Amino acid sequence: MRRLIPLLAVLAGLIVTQPLSAQRVSGVVADSATGAPVGTGFIVLLDEEGNEVARGLSSQAGRFTLEAPRAGRYRLRSERIGYTPTFSPFFTLGRQETVERTLSVTALAVRLETIEVAAEQQCRTRPQEGISTAAVWEEARKALAAASWTAAQQTYRYTS
């Protein structure tokens, strides 16, 4: 009986420490024009309703691995500075299955026009001029989101 109790404790510990979800999506983010891997950027795993279920950063080599909470239908979204947000087609991820996906992304050319400052008494709306500004702010949003996420995840450690 004395030998049985430690054995049961070890077995219980093994059962508790097993991962609850083993569904994984691995892959690479590649430039659609060149096929070259695209370095560090967010990769988001979305369920069928469009809800974010996992998020991570791709490596400098464009590689990523995300873990899904359960089996189901998912799609990937890439958010990389300098590239248009890209969605993969939906795919089915089975229980304890690992699937490999390549996500081709398109470079986003952000051309900034010359800025001229002039003062007038009257305000006018120029919707077309706001498109470039919105594109720059979207790129800034991506950078700030990446910085915030990596700080929260404690992905990088800094020492002085």
Side-chain angles (χ1 to χ4, degrees):
M1 184 67 172
R2 287 181 178 223
R3 290 183 189 168
L4 185 58
I5 292 173
L7 180 61
L8 290 175
V10 169
L11 288 175
L14 289 174
I15 292 170
V16 171
T17 60
Q18 292 299 315
L20 297 177
S21 62
Q23 298 73 229
R24 290 184 181 84
V25 182
S26 295
V28 65
V29 181
D31 187 288
S32 62
T34 66
V38 173
T40 310
F42 273 127
I43 304 299
V44 181
L45 185 63
L46 304 168
D47 65 15
E48 280 189 293
E49 290 78 37
N51 299 313
E52 181 178 314
V53 296
R55 171 182 288 253
L57 286 173
S58 58
S59 70
Q60 283 293 345
R63 299 284 313 163
F64 65 89
T65 300
L66 298 174
E67 204 168 285
R70 63 194 157 282
R73 283 181 44 84
Y74 297 97
R75 71 190 304 188
L76 296 167
R77 180 178 72 220
S78 169
E79 293 180 0
R80 168 79 164 77
I81 295 172
Y83 289 82
T84 57
T86 303
F87 291 87
S88 74
F90 280 100
F91 56 90
T92 301
L93 185 58
R95 186 171 180 270
Q96 297 183 348
E97 180 181 21
T98 298
V99 297
E100 183 80 16
R101 293 288 179 260
T102 298
L103 196 54
S104 294
V105 295
T106 304
L108 174 67
V110 177
R111 184 172 162 236
L112 301 177
E113 299 294 328
T114 303
I115 298 173
E116 294 181 30
V117 178
E120 294 181 13
Q121 295 292 341
Q122 184 180 26
C123 292
R124 288 183 285 180
T125 302
R126 296 179 184 145
Q128 295 298 6
E129 292 177 9
I131 294 172
S132 296
T133 303
V136 170
W137 280 111
E138 175 61 15
E139 296 303 298
R141 183 201 64 78
K142 291 177 191 175
L144 291 171
S148 174
W149 185 84
T150 55
Q153 298 297 312
Q154 298 180 349
T155 303
Y156 301 104
R157 301 225 190 315
Y158 300 98
T159 58
S160 55

